[in-house]
Amino acid sequence: MLIKAEKAINRFSDFLGTVSAVLFLLMLANVFIDVVMRYVFNDVSIAMQELEWHFFAAMFMLGVPYTLRTGGHVRVDLVYERLSAHKQSVIDIGGGVLLLLPFCLLVGWYGIDFAHEAFALGEMSGDPGGLPQRWIIKAVIPFAFFSTAIAGVAMILSSIITYRENTLHKTDRGLL
Amino acid sequence: MIGIVMFFVALLMLIFGFPVAFTFGGVALIFGVIAEGPDMFAFMPFRIQSIMENVTMMAVPLFIFMGIVLQKTRLAEQLLEAMGKLFGGVRGGLAISTVLVGALLAASTGVVGASVVAMGLISLPVMLKYNYDKSLACGTICASGTLGQIIPPSIILIILGDVLGIPVGDLFQAALAPGLVLIGCYVAYILVYSWLKPESAPALPMDDDVSSRREMYLRALKAIIPPLALILVVLGSIFAGIATPTESSALGGVGALFLAVLYRQFSWGMVYESAQETVKITAMVFAILLGATAFSMAFSYTGGDYIVEEVLSDLPGGQMGFLILSMVAILILGFFIDFVEISFIIVPILAPVAAALDIAPLWFAILIAMNLQTSFLTPPFGFSLFYLKGVAPPQVRTMDIYKGVIPFIIMQAAVVISLMFAPEWYGLTH
Amino acid sequence: SMAIFGNAQADDKVYRLKMAETWQTNFPIFGDAPRNMAAMAEKMSNGRLKITIDSANKHKSPFGVFDMVRAGQYDMGHSASYYWKGKVPNTLYFTTMPFGMTAPEQYAWFYQGGGMQLMEKVYGEFNLMSFPGGNTSNQMGGWFQKEINSLDDLKGLKMRIPGFAGEVLAKLGASPTNIPPGELYTALERRTIDALEWVGPSLDLRMGFHKIAPYYYTGWHEPATELQFLINKRSWDRLPADLQEILRVAMRTAAYDMYIQSYHESAENLAVIETEYPNVKIRTFPDDVMSALRKANEELLAEKAAADPVAKEILDSQAAYLKKVRRWTDISDKAYLNSISVSK
Ligand code: NA
Ligand code: NA
């Protein structure tokens, strides 16, 4: 049961990782094209310039849950690495429940209002030729934080399994 | 008061080893909610959006990508090995090469996260492969990756120029000499250290099949030119007015892919994998920034900023006394709050006092900039240390990094002190 | 978020307001206005009205001031109305307009010519009040790497010029470009962009542009940039009538003080630029460029008026008032300046 739930969440986080990787490549191409267009053709598009940070922001925000799932978030290992898998799982369960979940859920919760406000006002870029529909990029905030909370649940489940079985639960860590 | 308690609780929690980003965020949440109620967190989306819109930070993923592609195609490795071999029998060649490459990257970005991570990707694996002492390797990377803050263009200098009302161009010019002196110190330290402890930084083995020294140098040159040209293109694009510093890092990414094609290492699979790794590392860096912004929010909205202001608004002493105390204060505050906060909140408190004491603003600004650069390296909260740990292989422990940066922190302190007592050495006036 | 302390004696109650400013801590001139206002309000109210100011370094969201004041996270804000045009298009018209009124003319429009009522109409819908918050006086047209001698020189000109003025320039074939403020200096020095506009000598000097760009053009696009005090209506309503009046007077005085200060700083800094950097050439755009800009501006305004009845109402009011007040400016200040310069 726990394993099934964990796997389902991991698939979701991996999907976000794929989306982020594609967003990164789009951002790279976007910045490169903007430089070439400006330098070679003297042509600047404000919409394209704004698109740069839209890709950038969505990329790192959606990358956070994916990175949690692949164990990529940096830890200070002064104590952690010396502990048994059993004790490590206690830290991850405790940290997940007391620190990660409340933080992500609360920020996500306030993020809903934030994005909704932009939607209700029909907010768009203030610059000429800028992008419309500001709410979309603002909605990435609650979406990414709730997704991180969900990825956090998978981390907690995995730690519970480790704790119960008293051996490291080998979760499939994705590509990396 | 809450701010200080919060700091020590965060420190304790960090030591247990829960991810740094969520430790900062969670501790901020607990203290923020207890002191002010949950509504304080309605400010978070605004703060997050400011990070999302900060286009200067786009240099972080772009440089990371360049580093990963150079690493995957083994071009970075060849560059450093070739440079290391040019040092012949001299030990520490790889580390010195790292400092030099780091200095070049520093000249094309002002974002610390970008260059530390790129250097971590490019040169840490190579130094470890050649049995370098882990601490020496990590210290070198953190310190040279942090050079971007003092070598122009630099975000710290731009902000300080704004705060102190000094033209940015003057600051850029004034920062160059101290920056070069720092690079010189790093190189000298590596030479001395590896001479004293030969096993810590072995000289690279010479190729056996090479008949003459000349052929070896030619080979080394062939390996050096392409990746070095890439880095120079990045830098050159800024000087030629083709790209802004941030955009230049995209040229670096595309250029790295171009080199991959040239060396027949290109595949779409490689591109996708590199993008995926870029995402992971970028998200690691930005998650820390997201957690840290919650932390600094809770710190200042519970009154931490007022305490800091009160302490600083009456520092005693004449010119030297004031300089020493303010530098120490900034160094200590650097453990708690980030350089932007220090520049905008602390510096304006100190600036009028400095002016009243006839301290030249340019001199004062460079002192502060060097001091703030150090704050990226100081354990336990130095961001460079977290970033390097995030990209280092598992055998590199946090403690290796902490130990490794200490000599570099001491060198930076020494340069700051010399700048304080003998600004004329650096072309500055009192 | 407004706390009320004190006892039953209504007169002794201390009212505390929290204000968010768009500017960084200790930002000169712009940031002096709200600080000056808060100090005056506290003194005039004998300590009953205390306003604390959080800079962008504390709230971290310079362009979130509108939303934060609207949501009541802050009671007040100090910012500029045209920053909100992406959220509420008609807020554009209450800062300054290309080819529009000068500062004294615009103050007359606000206070005597119906401007305040129109501003209330736009902001009232969002439960906000907006008051003039200090004027930069005429802003300069910007720093240019090359001289502008004809309309052709504007074609493909890469210039950092945000907002509506950028739209006008784009109509003539220029390329308005977004560059983050931290990279402006390097971008202009290295000619990644050909030109940029910032404010005027008052704030341009510290950016150092005079060291890297030879041409400083006189203004056309922001003849009277007026900042703004924003107030959440609920916070305002909670204040007793006397404190409301004190706040109103403090805001109006602080706005005027900032106008004076801007004028003074610009004069001082222009003198510094001209004596220390004699190579900086001050230029005015040629006549054909000015008429083309003016025509493009009129076309854009006509589009805006056609699209929105409130926009039309505001633009009509401004145009009618400008016509009347400019006649007086012409035969008073302008005639005076012309006549004494001829007699020199
Ligand atoms: Na730099
Ligand atoms: Na302006």
Short mmCIF file of all heavy atoms in Angstrom, two decimals, chain B residues 42-43 46-47 50 55-56 158 162 165-167 169-170 238-239 241 244-246 300-301 305 341 344 348, chain C residues 24-26 54 57-61 64 67-68 73-74 179-180 182-183 185-186 190-192 206 208 211:
data_model
loop_
_atom_site.label_atom_id
_atom_site.label_comp_id
_atom_site.label_asym_id
_atom_site.label_seq_id
_atom_site.Cartn_x
_atom_site.Cartn_y
_atom_site.Cartn_z
N ALA B 42 1.69 35.28 3.99
CA ALA B 42 1.06 35.84 2.79
C ALA B 42 2.07 36.69 2.02
O ALA B 42 1.87 36.99 0.85
CB ALA B 42 -0.15 36.68 3.18
N PHE B 43 3.17 37.08 2.69
CA PHE B 43 4.22 37.82 1.98
C PHE B 43 5.07 36.91 1.10
O PHE B 43 5.77 37.38 0.21
CB PHE B 43 5.16 38.52 2.97
CG PHE B 43 4.56 39.70 3.67
CD1 PHE B 43 4.37 39.70 5.04
CD2 PHE B 43 4.17 40.81 2.94
CE1 PHE B 43 3.80 40.79 5.68
CE2 PHE B 43 3.61 41.90 3.58
CZ PHE B 43 3.41 41.90 4.95
N PHE B 46 4.98 37.00 -2.80
CA PHE B 46 5.59 38.21 -3.34
C PHE B 46 7.11 38.07 -3.40
O PHE B 46 7.75 38.45 -4.37
CB PHE B 46 5.23 39.42 -2.47
CG PHE B 46 3.78 39.81 -2.56
CD1 PHE B 46 2.87 39.38 -1.62
CD2 PHE B 46 3.34 40.60 -3.60
CE1 PHE B 46 1.53 39.73 -1.71
CE2 PHE B 46 2.01 40.97 -3.70
CZ PHE B 46 1.10 40.53 -2.75
N ARG B 47 7.67 37.53 -2.31
CA ARG B 47 9.13 37.36 -2.27
C ARG B 47 9.58 36.35 -3.30
O ARG B 47 10.61 36.51 -3.96
CB ARG B 47 9.56 36.91 -0.87
CG ARG B 47 9.17 37.88 0.22
CD ARG B 47 9.45 37.30 1.59
NE ARG B 47 10.83 37.49 2.00
CZ ARG B 47 11.27 38.56 2.66
NH1 ARG B 47 10.45 39.53 2.96
NH2 ARG B 47 12.53 38.64 3.01
N SER B 50 9.71 37.78 -6.72
CA SER B 50 10.89 38.60 -6.97
C SER B 50 12.09 37.74 -7.37
O SER B 50 12.90 38.15 -8.19
CB SER B 50 11.24 39.42 -5.73
OG SER B 50 10.23 40.37 -5.50
N VAL B 55 16.21 38.29 -13.37
CA VAL B 55 16.81 37.68 -14.56
C VAL B 55 18.33 37.54 -14.45
O VAL B 55 18.92 36.73 -15.16
CB VAL B 55 16.45 38.45 -15.85
CG1 VAL B 55 14.98 38.32 -16.14
CG2 VAL B 55 16.84 39.90 -15.76
N THR B 56 18.96 38.30 -13.56
CA THR B 56 20.41 38.11 -13.39
C THR B 56 20.69 36.69 -12.92
O THR B 56 21.75 36.14 -13.20
CB THR B 56 21.00 39.08 -12.35
OG1 THR B 56 19.98 39.98 -11.94
CG2 THR B 56 22.14 39.85 -12.91
N ILE B 158 27.78 46.54 -7.75
CA ILE B 158 26.69 47.35 -8.32
C ILE B 158 25.77 47.84 -7.20
O ILE B 158 25.39 49.01 -7.15
CB ILE B 158 25.93 46.54 -9.37
CG1 ILE B 158 26.80 46.38 -10.62
CG2 ILE B 158 24.61 47.21 -9.73
CD1 ILE B 158 26.31 45.37 -11.61
N ASP B 162 25.21 51.72 -5.75
CA ASP B 162 23.89 52.31 -5.61
C ASP B 162 23.69 52.87 -4.19
O ASP B 162 23.27 54.00 -4.00
CB ASP B 162 22.86 51.22 -5.92
CG ASP B 162 21.47 51.78 -6.09
OD1 ASP B 162 21.36 52.97 -6.43
OD2 ASP B 162 20.50 51.05 -5.86
N GLY B 165 26.23 55.67 -3.45
CA GLY B 165 26.24 56.76 -4.41
C GLY B 165 27.59 56.93 -5.10
O GLY B 165 28.03 58.04 -5.37
N ILE B 166 28.26 55.80 -5.40
CA ILE B 166 29.53 55.85 -6.14
C ILE B 166 29.27 55.28 -7.54
O ILE B 166 28.63 54.24 -7.65
CB ILE B 166 30.61 54.98 -5.46
CG1 ILE B 166 30.76 55.37 -4.00
CG2 ILE B 166 31.94 55.09 -6.19
CD1 ILE B 166 31.62 54.41 -3.22
N PRO B 167 29.76 55.94 -8.59
CA PRO B 167 29.56 55.38 -9.93
C PRO B 167 30.12 53.97 -10.03
O PRO B 167 31.22 53.69 -9.54
CB PRO B 167 30.34 56.34 -10.84
CG PRO B 167 30.38 57.61 -10.09
CD PRO B 167 30.41 57.25 -8.64
N GLY B 169 31.34 52.32 -12.45
CA GLY B 169 32.59 52.18 -13.17
C GLY B 169 33.80 52.37 -12.26
O GLY B 169 34.78 51.64 -12.34
N ASP B 170 33.75 53.35 -11.36
CA ASP B 170 34.84 53.59 -10.42
C ASP B 170 35.06 52.37 -9.53
O ASP B 170 36.19 51.98 -9.26
CB ASP B 170 34.51 54.80 -9.51
CG ASP B 170 34.43 56.09 -10.30
OD1 ASP B 170 34.58 56.02 -11.54
OD2 ASP B 170 34.22 57.16 -9.70
N ILE B 238 30.67 39.94 -23.77
CA ILE B 238 30.30 41.08 -22.92
C ILE B 238 31.08 42.31 -23.36
O ILE B 238 30.51 43.38 -23.56
CB ILE B 238 30.61 40.80 -21.43
CG1 ILE B 238 29.89 39.54 -20.97
CG2 ILE B 238 30.22 41.98 -20.57
CD1 ILE B 238 30.31 39.09 -19.59
N PHE B 239 32.39 42.12 -23.57
CA PHE B 239 33.23 43.27 -23.90
C PHE B 239 32.91 43.82 -25.28
O PHE B 239 33.01 45.01 -25.53
CB PHE B 239 34.71 42.89 -23.78
CG PHE B 239 35.15 42.89 -22.36
CD1 PHE B 239 35.10 41.74 -21.60
CD2 PHE B 239 35.55 44.07 -21.75
CE1 PHE B 239 35.46 41.75 -20.27
CE2 PHE B 239 35.91 44.09 -20.42
CZ PHE B 239 35.87 42.92 -19.67
N GLY B 241 30.02 43.91 -26.50
CA GLY B 241 28.68 44.47 -26.50
C GLY B 241 27.65 43.58 -27.19
O GLY B 241 26.58 44.02 -27.56
N THR B 244 24.67 40.87 -22.61
CA THR B 244 24.83 41.29 -21.22
C THR B 244 25.52 40.15 -20.48
O THR B 244 25.56 39.02 -20.98
CB THR B 244 23.47 41.54 -20.56
OG1 THR B 244 22.76 40.30 -20.53
CG2 THR B 244 22.64 42.57 -21.33
N PRO B 245 26.07 40.43 -19.29
CA PRO B 245 26.74 39.35 -18.55
C PRO B 245 25.85 38.11 -18.41
O PRO B 245 26.33 36.98 -18.56
CB PRO B 245 27.04 39.99 -17.21
CG PRO B 245 27.23 41.44 -17.52
CD PRO B 245 26.26 41.73 -18.63
N THR B 246 24.56 38.31 -18.11
CA THR B 246 23.68 37.15 -17.94
C THR B 246 23.54 36.38 -19.25
O THR B 246 23.63 35.16 -19.28
CB THR B 246 22.30 37.60 -17.46
OG1 THR B 246 22.47 38.34 -16.26
CG2 THR B 246 21.41 36.42 -17.19
N SER B 300 13.44 39.46 9.99
CA SER B 300 13.24 40.91 10.04
C SER B 300 11.84 41.28 10.55
O SER B 300 11.70 42.25 11.28
CB SER B 300 13.53 41.55 8.69
OG SER B 300 12.59 41.16 7.74
N TYR B 301 10.81 40.52 10.21
CA TYR B 301 9.46 40.88 10.67
C TYR B 301 9.24 40.59 12.15
O TYR B 301 8.25 41.02 12.71
CB TYR B 301 8.38 40.21 9.82
CG TYR B 301 8.13 40.93 8.51
CD1 TYR B 301 8.83 40.63 7.36
CD2 TYR B 301 7.19 41.95 8.44
CE1 TYR B 301 8.62 41.29 6.17
CE2 TYR B 301 6.96 42.63 7.25
CZ TYR B 301 7.67 42.31 6.13
OH TYR B 301 7.45 42.98 4.95
N ASP B 305 15.76 43.15 12.43
CA ASP B 305 16.45 44.26 11.76
C ASP B 305 16.63 45.46 12.69
O ASP B 305 17.63 46.16 12.61
CB ASP B 305 15.74 44.65 10.45
CG ASP B 305 14.25 44.86 10.64
OD1 ASP B 305 13.73 44.52 11.73
OD2 ASP B 305 13.60 45.35 9.70
N GLU B 341 20.98 42.13 1.99
CA GLU B 341 20.46 42.74 3.22
C GLU B 341 21.51 43.64 3.84
O GLU B 341 21.25 44.76 4.26
CB GLU B 341 20.10 41.64 4.22
CG GLU B 341 18.65 41.54 4.53
CD GLU B 341 17.91 40.93 3.36
OE1 GLU B 341 18.51 40.20 2.55
OE2 GLU B 341 16.74 41.22 3.24
N PHE B 344 22.04 46.88 1.86
CA PHE B 344 20.97 47.88 1.88
C PHE B 344 20.61 48.34 3.28
O PHE B 344 20.11 49.44 3.46
CB PHE B 344 19.73 47.33 1.19
CG PHE B 344 19.81 47.42 -0.30
CD1 PHE B 344 19.80 46.29 -1.08
CD2 PHE B 344 19.93 48.65 -0.93
CE1 PHE B 344 19.88 46.36 -2.46
CE2 PHE B 344 20.01 48.74 -2.30
CZ PHE B 344 19.98 47.60 -3.07
N PRO B 348 23.98 51.55 4.83
CA PRO B 348 23.49 52.93 5.00
C PRO B 348 23.61 53.45 6.44
O PRO B 348 23.69 54.66 6.64
CB PRO B 348 22.02 52.83 4.59
CG PRO B 348 21.95 51.65 3.70
CD PRO B 348 22.95 50.69 4.23
N GLN C 24 14.36 51.09 -2.40
CA GLN C 24 15.25 50.42 -1.47
C GLN C 24 15.46 51.28 -0.23
O GLN C 24 15.21 52.47 -0.25
CB GLN C 24 16.61 50.19 -2.15
CG GLN C 24 16.51 49.20 -3.29
CD GLN C 24 17.46 49.54 -4.41
OE1 GLN C 24 18.17 50.53 -4.38
NE2 GLN C 24 17.46 48.69 -5.41
N THR C 25 15.97 50.64 0.82
CA THR C 25 16.27 51.36 2.05
C THR C 25 17.13 52.58 1.75
O THR C 25 18.12 52.46 1.02
CB THR C 25 17.04 50.44 3.02
OG1 THR C 25 16.29 49.25 3.18
CG2 THR C 25 17.23 51.11 4.36
N ASN C 26 16.74 53.71 2.32
CA ASN C 26 17.53 54.94 2.18
C ASN C 26 17.72 55.42 0.75
O ASN C 26 18.66 56.13 0.45
CB ASN C 26 18.93 54.77 2.82
CG ASN C 26 18.82 54.55 4.31
OD1 ASN C 26 18.12 55.29 4.98
ND2 ASN C 26 19.47 53.55 4.81
N ASP C 54 8.39 50.18 5.57
CA ASP C 54 9.22 49.05 5.17
C ASP C 54 9.68 49.26 3.73
O ASP C 54 8.86 49.48 2.84
CB ASP C 54 8.43 47.73 5.25
CG ASP C 54 8.24 47.28 6.69
OD1 ASP C 54 8.83 47.91 7.59
OD2 ASP C 54 7.51 46.29 6.92
N ASN C 57 13.72 46.31 0.62
CA ASN C 57 14.65 45.33 1.16
C ASN C 57 14.02 44.50 2.26
O ASN C 57 14.49 43.43 2.56
CB ASN C 57 15.89 46.01 1.71
CG ASN C 57 16.59 46.73 0.62
OD1 ASN C 57 16.49 47.93 0.49
ND2 ASN C 57 17.24 45.97 -0.24
N LYS C 58 12.95 45.04 2.84
CA LYS C 58 12.27 44.25 3.85
C LYS C 58 11.16 43.41 3.22
O LYS C 58 11.11 42.21 3.40
CB LYS C 58 11.71 45.16 4.94
CG LYS C 58 11.08 44.38 6.08
CD LYS C 58 11.15 45.14 7.37
CE LYS C 58 10.42 44.39 8.48
NZ LYS C 58 10.55 45.09 9.76
N HIS C 59 10.28 44.04 2.43
CA HIS C 59 9.16 43.24 1.89
C HIS C 59 9.53 42.52 0.60
O HIS C 59 8.84 41.62 0.17
CB HIS C 59 7.91 44.11 1.71
CG HIS C 59 8.08 45.30 0.82
ND1 HIS C 59 8.28 45.18 -0.53
CD2 HIS C 59 8.09 46.63 1.08
CE1 HIS C 59 8.38 46.39 -1.07
NE2 HIS C 59 8.30 47.30 -0.11
N LYS C 60 10.65 42.92 -0.04
CA LYS C 60 11.21 42.22 -1.19
C LYS C 60 10.33 42.26 -2.43
O LYS C 60 10.51 41.46 -3.35
CB LYS C 60 11.48 40.73 -0.85
CG LYS C 60 12.52 40.53 0.19
CD LYS C 60 13.89 40.70 -0.40
CE LYS C 60 14.92 40.44 0.67
NZ LYS C 60 16.25 40.75 0.22
N SER C 61 9.35 43.13 -2.46
CA SER C 61 8.45 43.10 -3.59
C SER C 61 8.11 44.52 -4.04
O SER C 61 7.01 45.00 -3.81
CB SER C 61 7.19 42.33 -3.23
OG SER C 61 6.37 42.18 -4.36
N GLY C 64 4.92 44.80 -5.78
CA GLY C 64 3.79 44.14 -5.14
C GLY C 64 3.06 45.10 -4.21
O GLY C 64 2.12 44.70 -3.52
N ASP C 67 -0.79 45.32 -4.56
CA ASP C 67 -1.50 44.14 -4.04
C ASP C 67 -1.43 44.07 -2.52
O ASP C 67 -2.41 43.71 -1.87
CB ASP C 67 -0.89 42.86 -4.62
CG ASP C 67 -1.10 42.76 -6.11
OD1 ASP C 67 -2.24 42.92 -6.56
OD2 ASP C 67 -0.11 42.52 -6.84
N MET C 68 -0.27 44.40 -1.97
CA MET C 68 -0.12 44.26 -0.52
C MET C 68 -0.96 45.30 0.23
O MET C 68 -1.52 44.99 1.27
CB MET C 68 1.36 44.37 -0.13
CG MET C 68 2.19 43.18 -0.62
SD MET C 68 3.87 43.11 0.05
CE MET C 68 4.61 44.54 -0.69
N GLN C 73 -2.19 43.90 3.85
CA GLN C 73 -0.93 43.49 4.48
C GLN C 73 -0.16 44.73 4.90
O GLN C 73 0.62 44.70 5.83
CB GLN C 73 -0.11 42.64 3.50
CG GLN C 73 -0.67 41.24 3.31
CD GLN C 73 -0.08 40.56 2.09
OE1 GLN C 73 -0.55 40.75 0.97
NE2 GLN C 73 0.95 39.79 2.29
N TYR C 74 -0.34 45.80 4.15
CA TYR C 74 0.15 47.12 4.56
C TYR C 74 -1.02 48.09 4.50
O TYR C 74 -1.93 47.92 3.69
CB TYR C 74 1.28 47.60 3.64
CG TYR C 74 2.61 46.95 3.94
CD1 TYR C 74 3.04 45.85 3.20
CD2 TYR C 74 3.41 47.41 4.96
CE1 TYR C 74 4.26 45.24 3.47
CE2 TYR C 74 4.63 46.81 5.24
CZ TYR C 74 5.04 45.73 4.51
OH TYR C 74 6.25 45.14 4.79
N ILE C 179 16.52 45.62 -19.69
CA ILE C 179 17.82 45.25 -19.11
C ILE C 179 17.67 45.45 -17.61
O ILE C 179 17.20 46.50 -17.18
CB ILE C 179 18.95 46.17 -19.64
CG1 ILE C 179 19.04 46.13 -21.17
CG2 ILE C 179 20.28 45.85 -18.98
CD1 ILE C 179 19.95 45.10 -21.75
N PRO C 180 18.06 44.47 -16.81
CA PRO C 180 17.93 44.68 -15.36
C PRO C 180 18.84 45.85 -14.92
O PRO C 180 19.94 45.99 -15.45
CB PRO C 180 18.40 43.36 -14.75
CG PRO C 180 19.06 42.61 -15.84
CD PRO C 180 18.56 43.13 -17.13
N GLY C 182 20.86 46.41 -12.63
CA GLY C 182 22.23 46.06 -12.27
C GLY C 182 23.14 45.87 -13.47
O GLY C 182 24.36 45.91 -13.34
N GLU C 183 22.60 45.64 -14.65
CA GLU C 183 23.44 45.40 -15.82
C GLU C 183 23.41 46.58 -16.79
O GLU C 183 24.01 46.53 -17.86
CB GLU C 183 23.01 44.11 -16.53
CG GLU C 183 23.22 42.90 -15.64
CD GLU C 183 23.12 41.56 -16.37
OE1 GLU C 183 22.45 41.50 -17.41
OE2 GLU C 183 23.69 40.59 -15.87
N TYR C 185 24.71 49.61 -16.63
CA TYR C 185 25.97 50.29 -16.84
C TYR C 185 26.84 49.53 -17.84
O TYR C 185 27.32 50.10 -18.83
CB TYR C 185 26.71 50.46 -15.50
CG TYR C 185 28.01 51.21 -15.61
CD1 TYR C 185 28.05 52.58 -15.51
CD2 TYR C 185 29.20 50.52 -15.84
CE1 TYR C 185 29.24 53.27 -15.62
CE2 TYR C 185 30.40 51.21 -15.96
CZ TYR C 185 30.42 52.58 -15.84
OH TYR C 185 31.61 53.26 -15.96
N THR C 186 27.02 48.23 -17.59
CA THR C 186 27.84 47.42 -18.50
C THR C 186 27.22 47.40 -19.89
O THR C 186 27.91 47.48 -20.90
CB THR C 186 27.96 45.98 -17.96
OG1 THR C 186 28.24 46.04 -16.57
CG2 THR C 186 29.06 45.22 -18.66
N ARG C 190 29.29 48.88 -23.02
CA ARG C 190 29.71 47.95 -24.07
C ARG C 190 28.84 48.06 -25.32
O ARG C 190 28.98 47.26 -26.23
CB ARG C 190 29.70 46.53 -23.52
CG ARG C 190 30.68 46.30 -22.40
CD ARG C 190 32.08 46.45 -22.89
NE ARG C 190 33.01 46.67 -21.77
CZ ARG C 190 34.21 47.16 -21.93
NH1 ARG C 190 34.63 47.50 -23.12
NH2 ARG C 190 35.00 47.33 -20.91
N ARG C 191 27.90 48.96 -25.29
CA ARG C 191 26.99 49.19 -26.43
C ARG C 191 26.12 47.99 -26.77
O ARG C 191 25.75 47.78 -27.93
CB ARG C 191 27.77 49.65 -27.66
CG ARG C 191 28.59 50.88 -27.33
CD ARG C 191 29.06 51.59 -28.55
NE ARG C 191 29.76 52.80 -28.13
CZ ARG C 191 29.83 53.89 -28.85
NH1 ARG C 191 29.24 53.94 -30.02
NH2 ARG C 191 30.47 54.94 -28.41
N THR C 192 25.85 47.18 -25.77
CA THR C 192 24.83 46.15 -25.95
C THR C 192 23.51 46.86 -26.22
O THR C 192 22.66 46.37 -26.97
CB THR C 192 24.71 45.27 -24.68
OG1 THR C 192 26.01 45.00 -24.19
CG2 THR C 192 23.98 43.98 -24.97
N ARG C 206 24.69 59.26 -9.85
CA ARG C 206 25.25 58.14 -9.11
C ARG C 206 25.31 56.87 -9.93
O ARG C 206 26.00 55.92 -9.55
CB ARG C 206 24.48 57.91 -7.81
CG ARG C 206 23.00 57.74 -8.07
CD ARG C 206 22.18 58.04 -6.84
NE ARG C 206 21.49 56.85 -6.39
CZ ARG C 206 21.64 56.31 -5.21
NH1 ARG C 206 22.48 56.81 -4.36
NH2 ARG C 206 20.95 55.25 -4.88
N GLY C 208 26.53 56.86 -12.92
CA GLY C 208 27.79 56.95 -13.64
C GLY C 208 27.68 56.97 -15.16
O GLY C 208 28.68 56.85 -15.86
N LYS C 211 29.95 58.98 -17.61
CA LYS C 211 31.33 58.60 -17.92
C LYS C 211 31.41 57.75 -19.18
O LYS C 211 32.50 57.54 -19.71
CB LYS C 211 31.90 57.78 -16.77
CG LYS C 211 31.98 58.56 -15.50
CD LYS C 211 32.82 57.85 -14.49
CE LYS C 211 33.09 58.80 -13.35
NZ LYS C 211 33.85 58.16 -12.29
#
